[in-house]
Amino acid sequence: MMHQTEMLATIEAGLQPGNSRPKKIVIVGAGMAGLVAGDLLKRAGHKITILEAQHRVGGRIYTVRDGLAPGLRAEMGAMRIPQSHELTMAYVRRFRLKTEPFIVTNPNAYIYLQGKRVRRKEFDPQKFVFDVHPHESGKHPEDLLKATFKPIYDRVLEQGEAVWDQIIAEYDHFSLRGFLRHSGWSEGAIEMLGILGNVESRMNSSFVSYLHHEYSNTFSNMVYLVDGSDALPNAFLPILGKHIRLGASLEAIDNAANQVTVTYQTLAGQFQETADYLIVTIPFSLMRHIEVTPAFSPRKRRAIRQLNYDSSSKIFMQCSSRFWENDDGIHGGGSVTDLAIRNVFYPQHGQETGRGALLASYTWGRDAICFASLPRDYLIRQAIENLREIHPQIDRTFEVAVYHHWGNDPYAGGVGALLEPGTMSSFNDIVAPEGRVYFAGDHCSKFKTRWIQGAIESAIHAAQDVHAAR
């Protein structure tokens, strides 16, 4: 596996020449993994074809402008980039994309719990009813979390990044809830962390995945793309456009000893493409429905079946004024609630229009599934009803709403892989190639699932392996 410095060098200089002969390579999926792999392999002199089922590139980078006033947009997928994600930032710099700081937390934003609304800067846990242990009373869950995780963090600082393999071996059987209970947390403290940390619906997911995320301090220094998140995948189009077949949905894979053939469907009919190698970047939630001959190994089939995908939904509301800025003094950041809408974010773009596209509801897991079961108009009305508890101005400013639920997206099958306890110990089953078929996508990145960085990282590894194959 390449280190990050090697991957950064690969982005800049391309794949190492070596003794690789020119190959014909098919890539399935024009999300970030497919685009990065295609770019690297094309630069190395290989003949590539990228098949994409949708009529756009980007995958879960999905910027919606239709249905909103000019100058406004709704980032239904990726909406922010951690500057610590150096591979992603390398492509941002390569394409000279404009960025602005993304405000993650704002002391003027609100916390709405148990029927009470307070500013984040005024939140006092003792003024709310949580069944906590005496030593937890009055403490913010972030402080409890730091104290609980400190011994493990110290191990990493003392022994280096290689110690993560030991940490996985020791703790991979824990869910986040299971570890917190094992560490003596009360149900009240767990509930408070779940609500304020936006993880209540993901408490049964992998503890180690969450731990690494917290250790990396991912949300400490972030940016957004001024022209929209889709500016990043769209920047590949001048390079790869003629090699991409849009509206081409994968149907079957014939993984022979000396070649691989894919069958794909368009509205014009069914077609086939034969190549030396295939890189599959679509989520495993969709791979479950693809016919493969001969069948993948039992370990790969199990990995495809068992990899867990989370649901997520966003509701954006176009408002006639930016009342959260004008009335409440909230410029960026987000509010958290125990209501059905869960999280509210205040996008920073569009100020010149006078209007705003408020992210009025951002839900995950069970919360998103519950919302998705409702008729759309009823869902929007309920979201407005919830939002009114925090921002009563919504009644006089609401204009239109746009909504997307990733669990119902036929091209995604979920917002991304949410690792369960035990998954990291068998992660090689997810990424291992099968004959002439290689795999990439954020689900093939152990510590960066659901991030652009994970997609890029996995694509570089897959491209390098195919490039070096004989």
Side-chain angles (χ1 to χ4, degrees):
M1 299 287 284
M2 287 188 282
H3 295 294
Q4 183 154 281
T5 52
E6 296 175 287
M7 289 188 281
L8 286 168
T10 300
I11 291 172
E12 182 176 346
L15 299 167
Q16 291 298 312
N19 297 318
S20 180
R21 62 177 176 82
K23 305 178 182 78
K24 184 179 180 182
I25 301 157
V26 170
I27 300 169
V28 177
M32 281 301 298
L35 295 170
V36 168
D39 173 53
L40 291 173
L41 290 166
K42 178 179 178 291
R43 288 162 63 187
H46 302 289
K47 181 181 179 181
I48 64 163
T49 300
I50 302 176
L51 303 176
E52 169 55 52
Q54 300 191 78
H55 295 158
R56 63 175 182 86
V57 299
R60 277 166 286 140
I61 298 177
Y62 181 29
T63 305
V64 172
R65 297 177 179 83
D66 291 345
L68 296 173
L72 299 181
R73 63 178 182 266
E75 299 291 1
M76 294 301 186
M79 63 180 181
R80 49 197 171 181
I81 301 171
Q83 294 203 68
S84 61
H85 286 186
E86 294 185 16
L87 305 181
T88 310
M89 293 305 298
Y91 276 104
V92 170
R93 290 190 295 271
R94 176 185 169 189
F95 295 124
R96 300 180 180 178
L97 303 178
K98 299 176 184 177
T99 65
E100 291 287 347
F102 183 98
I103 300 171
V104 180
T105 58
N106 189 326
N108 285 332
Y110 292 106
I111 292 174
Y112 184 91
L113 289 176
Q114 300 170 2
K116 293 185 285 188
R117 185 189 76 163
V118 298
R119 299 274 189 174
R120 277 185 176 269
K121 61 187 177 184
E122 298 167 354
F123 176 72
D124 180 356
Q126 290 185 306
K127 294 183 179 179
F128 295 83
V129 180
F130 290 104
D131 186 16
V132 298
H133 297 316
H135 70 274
E136 298 168 328
S137 180
K139 294 182 179 178
H140 196 284
E142 286 184 4
D143 297 326
L144 295 172
L145 205 62
K146 288 177 183 176
T148 302
F149 288 177
K150 186 178 185 301
I152 305 178
Y153 289 173
D154 288 346
R155 283 177 62 184
V156 180
L157 293 173
E158 292 167 6
Q159 302 176 45
E161 292 294 319
V163 79
W164 280 105
D165 288 338
Q166 297 177 28
I167 293 171
I168 290 171
E170 293 175 35
Y171 296 103
D172 195 32
H173 64 286
F174 278 116
S175 67
L176 174 56
R177 172 182 290 280
F179 179 81
L180 296 178
R181 292 293 292 163
H182 174 76
S183 301
W185 280 47
S186 66
E187 279 300 322
I190 293 173
E191 178 189 4
M192 188 162 40
L193 172 67
I195 296 170
L196 299 185
N198 188 26
V199 291
E200 191 167 41
S201 64
R202 290 172 279 171
M203 279 288 177
N204 293 324
S205 63
S206 165
F207 160 67
V208 179
S209 178
Y210 179 83
L211 173 74
H212 190 276
H213 185 271
E214 290 295 306
Y215 174 79
S216 302
N217 206 13
T218 303
F219 291 97
S220 62
N221 190 7
M222 309 188 87
V223 296
Y224 70 96
L225 298 183
V226 172
D227 295 320
S229 294
D230 59 351
L232 179 54
N234 288 343
F236 286 87
L237 288 175
I239 304 166
L240 297 175
K242 67 180 181 180
H243 302 283
I244 301 173
R245 179 78 184 266
L246 297 174
S249 178
L250 179 66
E251 296 284 321
I253 299 171
D254 184 359
N255 189 15
N258 60 346
Q259 64 182 23
V260 60
T261 301
V262 297
T263 302
Y264 63 94
Q265 186 77 38
T266 77
L267 290 179
Q270 195 174 80
F271 303 90
Q272 289 188 327
E273 190 84 26
T274 298
D276 296 308
Y277 293 94
L278 170 67
I279 299 177
V280 176
T281 73
I282 62 175
F284 278 5
S285 52
L286 303 183
M287 269 303 298
R288 296 182 67 171
H289 307 294
I290 304 303
E291 179 185 344
V292 181
T293 308
F296 288 151
S297 68
R299 294 174 73 94
K300 178 63 74 175
R301 297 202 304 270
R302 181 180 63 193
I304 291 172
R305 289 195 315 270
Q306 294 185 359
L307 185 60
N308 177 57
Y309 278 78
D310 202 13
S311 292
S312 180
S313 65
K314 289 182 178 179
I315 303 172
F316 281 83
M317 295 185 183
Q318 178 181 302
C319 301
S320 60
S321 72
R322 304 174 72 88
F323 57 79
W324 53 92
E325 295 173 352
N326 302 331
D327 301 345
D328 297 288
I330 302 173
H331 297 266
S335 296
V336 296
T337 82
D338 58 2
L339 301 169
I341 56 172
R342 283 298 192 176
N343 303 279
V344 179
F345 279 88
Y346 307 97
Q348 296 153 242
H349 81 279
Q351 293 184 1
E352 69 282 358
T353 71
R355 285 179 161 80
L358 177 69
L359 178 45
S361 174
Y362 187 11
T363 57
W364 288 79
R366 295 185 303 272
D367 298 318
I369 292 170
C370 290
F371 252 172
S373 67
L374 302 174
R376 185 184 181 281
D377 287 352
Y378 182 84
L379 181 155
I380 301 302
R381 287 198 298 271
Q382 184 182 16
I384 292 173
E385 183 178 322
N386 279 189
L387 190 62
R388 187 181 297 127
E389 299 294 323
I390 311 163
H391 296 295
Q393 306 99 315
I394 190 64
D395 285 341
R396 58 180 171 78
T397 61
F398 172 80
E399 293 182 329
V400 295
V402 290
Y403 163 69
H404 192 74
H405 176 66
W406 287 101
N408 288 345
D409 189 311
Y411 304 107
V415 73
L418 182 67
L419 302 188
E420 295 178 319
T423 304
M424 284 195 168
S425 299
S426 58
F427 203 80
N428 285 344
D429 295 342
I430 294 173
V431 300
E434 290 280 322
R436 293 178 172 269
V437 181
Y438 289 73
F439 300 88
D442 65 282
H443 56 285
C444 294
S445 170
K446 185 178 290 186
F447 290 122
K448 296 293 187 296
T449 53
R450 304 189 311 281
W451 287 101
I452 297 171
Q453 176 89 352
I456 295 173
E457 176 187 286
S458 69
I460 293 173
H461 284 128
Q464 176 61 47
D465 290 345
V466 170
H467 175 64
R470 297 181 183 275

